[in-house]
Amino acid sequence: MADPDKPVAIVADFPLPGNGWAILNDRMIVRISGPGTDKFLQGQFSQNLSEVTSDRSPRAAASTPKGRAYCLTRMVRDGDDILMDLPADLAEDTLAHLRKYLMLFRGTSMEVDPQASLVGLLGEETARALAGAPMDTLKEPGGSLALAAGFLVRAEPTAEGTPRFEFWQTSGNEACLETTTQLPAADWYASEIAAGVASLTAATQESFVPQMLNWQHLGGVHFRKGCYTGQEVIARMHFLGQLKKSLFRFRIEQVGPVPAPGSALQAGDRSVGEVVNAVEFRDGRCELLAVVRHDAAEESLRPEGQPDAVLVPMPLPYTVPEREKSPQSDT
């Protein structure tokens, strides 16, 4: 493996490589252990813990009582423990918030695993080199395969069809990665945008209900699991058809400053959306994910303060049927 202290590149290759791997230094893996693990997480996250199994590692969200997401993660079952990934810059605040509820579960702990790391993989070739075994449990996104040094999880492909995987390394050193190509972390995060997978930042925490981030279309919201914090708002938005904005992908052909998370998108003089994530490519282009009002999505949109930077709609690898039936009013 390469030096884990190697700085994260801020510019991605274009086009994205079809194979390779990137160390995600800005993600941390948290281990939840003890007799109350499943019950604790069941009460705080949008995923049903009974569906987090040895061969299935789904996404999940934790929200405030008002249904606003402050944590987007994936859950991986490691024996009796659960692993989750968190952005390093949000981990301390997220864990402090969750520990308010963990206090009710004696003998259960939640700590950053200093030995664990997360690697993003592009391409079937890279995944097969790492797996070294049949990947029958990795046919669909969220499928998981236990390896000697951790877990290999299939993620959503890009809209352009590039297969993607996550390697949750919990021990050892997978030398087989050294036989394939290391990529800058920016390539992985560009692939996240191309796959329609949002991540939260300090500017966007508690800004969106999970469905506004298309989290339900990534398998991250279980609408019939029962009560958890924020569930009433999340369920009502789903069952009453109240979703009026959602996550879109855009490209800017020639960009000045890359739009920052939390900055506005405008249609004329109106603010109709908010940037969630953005990445710059070496050819000067930029791609971004933004939550946009459905009734404004077909208008000519621009980042605030950049009148010449026209947003070009780009495809996602999944459909968002709520856009077809969304009421045309503010959320």
Side-chain angles (χ1 to χ4, degrees):
M1 299 287 284
D3 181 357
D5 295 325
K6 181 179 179 179
V8 176
I10 59 173
V11 180
D13 294 305
F14 186 86
L16 284 176
N19 282 282
W21 54 274
I23 298 175
L24 309 182
N25 288 321
D26 58 349
R27 305 292 296 188
M28 290 182 166
I29 294 180
V30 174
R31 181 178 295 273
I32 303 92
S33 305
T37 293
D38 281 27
K39 190 174 181 180
F40 159 59
L41 296 173
Q42 185 79 356
Q44 298 306 317
F45 284 85
S46 59
Q47 191 54 253
N48 192 336
L49 269 292
S50 67
E51 298 192 9
V52 184
T53 64
S54 60
D55 58 7
R56 177 167 161 72
S57 300
R59 299 186 186 274
S63 302
T64 67
K66 293 183 178 180
R68 301 283 163 157
Y70 65 86
C71 175
L72 300 177
T73 188
R74 185 188 296 282
M75 293 181 169
V76 175
R77 191 170 291 278
D78 184 6
D80 293 330
D81 298 350
I82 294 289
L83 307 177
M84 300 192 308
D85 66 311
L86 300 176
D89 59 344
L90 301 182
E92 183 176 348
D93 287 346
T94 300
L95 293 177
H97 186 93
L98 287 169
R99 286 193 178 109
K100 297 175 184 177
Y101 302 94
L102 184 64
M103 293 171 60
L104 302 174
F105 299 88
R106 297 184 63 180
T108 301
S109 64
M110 178 176 57
E111 301 293 343
V112 173
D113 187 337
Q115 304 303 316
S117 61
L118 193 60
V119 181
L121 282 67
L122 298 181
E124 294 276 352
E125 178 183 332
T126 308
R128 293 186 185 281
L130 179 61
M135 301 196 303
D136 295 342
T137 60
L138 300 178
K139 294 180 179 179
E140 300 293 335
S144 185
L145 175 66
L147 305 177
F151 301 88
L152 183 62
V153 182
R154 181 180 283 270
E156 294 74 15
T158 67
E160 291 69 37
T162 300
R164 304 187 322 122
F165 301 82
E166 298 168 2
F167 176 41
W168 293 54
Q169 184 168 342
T170 56
S171 64
N173 179 29
E174 289 295 337
C176 58
L177 282 175
E178 297 175 358
T179 66
T180 55
T181 303
Q182 183 176 5
L183 305 174
D187 284 3
W188 173 258
Y189 290 116
S191 82
E192 289 274 85
I193 289 175
V197 180
S199 60
L200 295 175
T201 65
T204 56
Q205 259 192 318
E206 300 186 22
S207 295
F208 309 110
V209 175
Q211 293 102 300
M212 295 178 186
L213 300 168
N214 298 352
W215 214 240
Q216 73 280 28
H217 301 303
L218 301 172
V221 183
H222 195 293
F223 290 109
R224 300 187 183 277
K225 60 160 282 186
C227 294
Y228 58 95
T229 302
Q231 181 263 345
E232 182 178 355
V233 174
I234 293 168
R236 184 170 65 244
M237 179 170 285
H238 173 70
F239 290 112
L240 298 183
Q242 296 177 338
L243 186 66
K244 301 159 192 169
K245 57 178 72 171
S246 60
L247 194 73
F248 290 77
R249 176 189 173 202
F250 298 99
R251 174 174 292 169
I252 304 175
E253 294 297 335
Q254 296 295 329
V255 65
V258 176
S263 60
L265 297 185
Q266 294 182 309
D269 294 331
R270 296 186 303 140
S271 178
V272 297
E274 186 173 342
V275 175
V276 180
N277 305 113
V279 65
E280 183 180 1
F281 291 99
R282 296 189 189 281
D283 67 350
R285 302 182 189 188
C286 167
E287 284 197 9
L288 58 91
L289 295 174
V291 171
V292 176
R293 288 169 44 123
H294 295 165
D295 61 1
E298 296 185 3
E299 298 186 34
S300 179
L301 304 181
R302 292 171 172 79
E304 184 177 23
Q306 297 189 51
D308 297 326
V310 178
L311 297 176
V312 179
M314 296 291 291
L316 294 171
Y318 52 80
T319 60
V320 185
E322 295 92 339
R323 293 175 185 169
E324 304 301 322
K325 57 185 179 182
S326 174
Q328 303 299 301
S329 60
D330 289 336
T331 296

